[in-house]
């Protein structure tokens, strides 16, 4: 979701709080647990609460064309967004995207303080794609970061969108696109 349909939440929080270490995302760090443990430590160090992050999220808007992209895609096929975001972050953005189905993780919160996070299952994006394929779905996936590559490998067709050069270089087997319009053309081609 983030980086493809919506802005990166952690980057927006970094900009609002002036904490540059929070700019680090799955585009930079392939180890999700290392990334999240670092984020939790930074939040604790600076006394940032869930409500502080939710306030920033409430000001965000989907990337240009994202809602239209999803609306058109839903006329062609079923759509499920697999994301490493959290339930407590997603609602304001989902509303603006016309409530697409989102499968994501959950934060552990005590007194407005984020103390941990719970994965649905390890490598949930890949596992979801594997499960969909076992049910004989033709799965087309797209993502922008290291945390998407296992999902892309498991899909019938996988695309990188808005991916940084380091990810494109490490995963040249995926067609890289730079716009939702271009992605839609490739998705339509794989569904034909």
């Amino acid at each position: 979701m983030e980086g493809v349909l919506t802005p990166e939440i952690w980057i927006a929080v970094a900009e609002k709080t002036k904490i540059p270490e929070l700019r680090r995302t799955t585009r930079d760090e392939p180890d999700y647990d290392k990334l999240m443990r670092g984020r939790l430590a930074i939040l604790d160090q600076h006394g940032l609460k869930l409500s502080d992050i939710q306030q920033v999220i409430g000001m965000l808007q989907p990337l240009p064309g994202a809602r239209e992209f999803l609306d058109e895609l839903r006329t062609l096929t079923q759509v499920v967004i697999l994301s490493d975001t959290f339930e407590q972050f997603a609602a304001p953005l989902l509303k603006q995207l016309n409530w697409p189905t989102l499968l994501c993780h959950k934060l552990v919160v005590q007194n407005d303080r984020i103390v941990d996070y719970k994965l649905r299952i390890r490598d949930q994006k890949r596992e979801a794609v594997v499960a969909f394929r076992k049910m004989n779905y033709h799965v087309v996936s797209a993502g922008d970061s290291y945390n998407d590559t296992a999902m892309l490998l498991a899909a019938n067709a996988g695309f990188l969108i808005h991916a940084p050069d380091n990810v494109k270089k490490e995963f040249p087997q995926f067609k890289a696109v730079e716009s939702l319009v271009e992605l839609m053309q490739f998705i339509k081609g794989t569904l034909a």
Side-chain angles (χ1 to χ4, degrees):
M1 184 170 89
E2 293 177 60
V4 176
L5 300 170
T6 68
E8 291 278 354
I9 290 170
W10 291 102
I11 291 175
V13 172
E15 290 173 1
K16 178 70 173 172
T17 62
K18 310 271 192 274
I19 303 171
E21 298 85 4
L22 287 176
R23 291 186 62 80
R24 193 161 175 76
T25 70
T26 55
R27 294 168 151 239
D28 311 300
E29 176 56 60
D31 184 332
Y32 189 73
D33 187 62
K34 179 180 177 183
L35 178 65
M36 279 306 300
R37 296 283 163 221
R39 287 171 171 167
L40 293 176
I42 293 166
L43 295 180
D44 194 48
Q45 175 187 356
H46 292 275
L48 288 174
K49 307 287 189 213
L50 174 60
S51 57
D52 299 321
I53 295 170
Q54 289 173 325
Q55 184 178 20
V56 173
I57 295 167
M59 296 184 300
L60 297 179
Q61 294 185 336
L63 296 177
R67 181 174 175 153
E68 296 79 7
F69 170 81
L70 286 174
D71 288 346
E72 181 179 355
L73 190 56
R74 284 186 287 231
T75 69
L76 303 172
T77 189
Q78 295 175 349
V79 177
V80 176
I81 298 172
L82 303 173
S83 178
D84 282 324
T85 195
F86 302 97
E87 290 178 353
Q88 294 93 332
F89 288 1
L93 294 167
L94 292 178
K95 181 179 181 184
Q96 294 179 69
L97 291 170
N98 201 19
W99 297 107
T101 299
L102 170 70
L103 303 179
C104 64
H105 307 302
K106 190 171 186 172
L107 293 168
V108 179
V109 181
Q110 295 174 352
N111 299 318
D112 198 29
R113 185 173 160 261
I114 302 170
V115 296
D116 205 356
Y117 72 98
K118 296 275 186 194
L119 298 178
R120 292 293 168 192
I121 58 173
R122 188 167 170 76
D123 203 9
Q124 63 101 10
K125 291 180 182 184
R126 186 186 69 75
E127 293 294 333
V129 168
V130 168
F132 290 141
R133 291 197 60 192
K134 283 183 182 177
M135 293 185 291
N136 294 316
Y137 284 102
H138 179 84
V139 179
V140 179
S141 63
D144 70 332
S145 299
Y146 285 112
N147 65 327
D148 298 315
T149 56
M151 169 188 71
L152 300 178
L153 286 166
N156 296 93
F159 301 97
L160 289 170
I161 177 167
H162 306 138
D165 290 338
N166 56 310
V167 174
K168 288 190 260 190
K169 186 180 223 178
E170 288 184 51
F171 297 92
Q173 66 268 46
F174 302 122
K175 173 73 176 157
V177 300
E178 298 304 324
S179 73
L180 292 171
V181 170
E182 190 179 7
L183 179 59
M184 181 64 76
Q185 292 170 345
F186 283 106
I187 291 173
K188 285 179 178 179
T190 65
L191 296 176

